[in-house]
Structure formats: structure tokens, C-alpha cells
Amino acid sequence: MKRFLKWLAKVIGTAVSLVLVIVMLPYATKWIAKLLPDGSQNAVTVSAILSRQMEASSRLETAKVEDEGVLSSSVDALLIGQVQNVVIQYTYEASLGIDLKKVNMHINGRTLTLEIPPLEVLTDSLTPVNIDRNDFWFPLTDERRQKLLDEERVKCRAHYLEENDESRAAFEHTVECLTEWLDSILNQTVRSGVEIVCVRKENDT
């Protein structure tokens, strides 16, 4: 009889323990989640902070360019031949960067992916260093001179925006600058458990 009572008490105790575990499981899960956060909520917080900062900052300068070049132009006249030849040595300077408002963000669990838009020329200038001209028959006017410089400036600008080794290097530097910028505005508590990944946006839409 005593063995039966002991066995019955053991069964009842086990059943009560099992019921308590089932009842307390949702509360325990929430408690554990607070102690061991998966970072997903932090990813949402980080995304909100970055959205505000990017909206306020607008553009981020990530690279500076200084290059030297030479442009030449000539004008021919009917029956006479060449009546003007101009050779201009110049220095091209540009500031490259990205429009932060065009950065797209995607959250997947603890991972926050930033799609970085193509580089833009924020500011640039082309300064003539030396002008060699042979224009006795057709003098070079200020208007034509400025037109030549403006056209060359457009060519230089396009070079740093098209796909080449220099633009790829500038983009890599952009990722580094963007990472440093993120570190400057995000504290470790907010960023804890969040992985930020930067990728190149294929289409600027």
C-alpha cells in the first residue's frame, strides 16, 4: 500500500511539474528573449536611426579626384586649310560621393543590408594651366575657349562615373567612408547583435 501511495505521489508530482512548465513556457520565452536578444529589434532601431540621419545629411563625400590632361582643337576653312589650332593643358578636380537619400535598406533578422547608389560628382572644376594657340587667321574668342573647357569638363566627369578601374576604386572607398560614418552615429548598445552589409545597387530607381 505504501509503495502504491509513493508511486501515485510521484506520478502526481510529475504531472503537476509538466503542467507548470507548459503554463510558464510563454513567460519564460519572453524572459529569455530579453536576456538573449537576437538583434532583430536592434536592426529595426538602427534602420530608423539611419533613415533620419540620411534624410538630414543628404550627401556624403567619399573621394576627391585631381587629374591633369590636355585638350586640343582645330578649325579648318574652305580652300585655306587650318586657321586655328589650340592646345590647352588643364587640371581637373572633383568631389565624388553618394546621395544618402537614395540608399535602400532591407532588414532580414539581425542583418541590415544597405544598397548603395551609384557615385555622383558632387562638385568639380577644370582649370587651364597653359594655352598654346596658333590662331592668326581666326583668333580664339573667350566664348570658344570657355566652350572647349566646358566640353572637356563634361568628358572628365563622365569618365569617373562610367565603369572602370578608377570608379571601382572610388566605390570601394565609398564603402569604407560609409562604414566610418555609420560608426560615428551608432553606439555599440544600439548596434549590438546587428550585422550591417553594404552592397552595390544595380539600378538607381
Side-chain angles (χ1 to χ4, degrees), residues 89-112:
Q89 296 177 335
Y90 63 83
T91 299
Y92 177 75
E93 296 178 310
S95 171
L96 306 180
I98 58 174
D99 187 342
L100 293 173
K101 294 180 181 179
K102 295 180 180 179
V103 175
N104 292 339
M105 290 182 283
H106 305 283
I107 301 174
N108 184 10
R110 295 179 296 174
T111 302
L112 176 61

Side-chain angles (χ1 to χ4, degrees), residues 97-174:
I98 58 174
D99 187 342
L100 293 173
K101 294 180 181 179
K102 295 180 180 179
V103 175
N104 292 339
M105 290 182 283
H106 305 283
I107 301 174
N108 184 10
R110 295 179 296 174
T111 302
L112 176 61
T113 301
L114 305 183
E115 289 187 351
I116 305 176
L119 287 174
E120 298 181 6
V121 175
L122 305 181
T123 60
D124 67 341
S125 63
L126 190 145
T127 306
V129 177
N130 182 63
I131 300 178
D132 183 13
R133 61 191 192 183
N134 182 4
D135 59 349
F136 178 79
W137 297 107
F138 187 56
L140 177 67
T141 63
D142 291 340
E143 291 78 8
R144 175 167 168 73
R145 170 182 171 276
Q146 189 59 49
K147 181 181 179 181
L148 292 174
L149 294 176
D150 291 342
E151 290 175 349
E152 189 69 15
R153 180 181 176 185
V154 171
K155 292 179 183 178
C156 292
R157 183 182 302 171
H159 172 74
Y160 286 97
L161 296 181
E162 65 186 12
E163 188 68 20
N164 52 49
D165 291 340
E166 290 164 323
S167 63
R168 282 189 286 269
F171 182 82
E172 292 176 1
H173 187 62
T174 294

Side-chain angles (χ1 to χ4, degrees), residues 12-50:
I12 294 174
T14 302
V16 171
S17 298
L18 182 61
V19 170
L20 289 175
V21 169
I22 295 174
V23 172
M24 296 300 295
L25 183 60
Y27 301 96
T29 301
K30 293 181 180 179
W31 180 71
I32 293 174
K34 291 181 179 179
L35 293 179
L36 300 174
D38 64 357
S40 58
Q41 182 56 49
N42 280 12
V44 175
T45 302
V46 169
S47 175
I49 294 174
L50 293 184

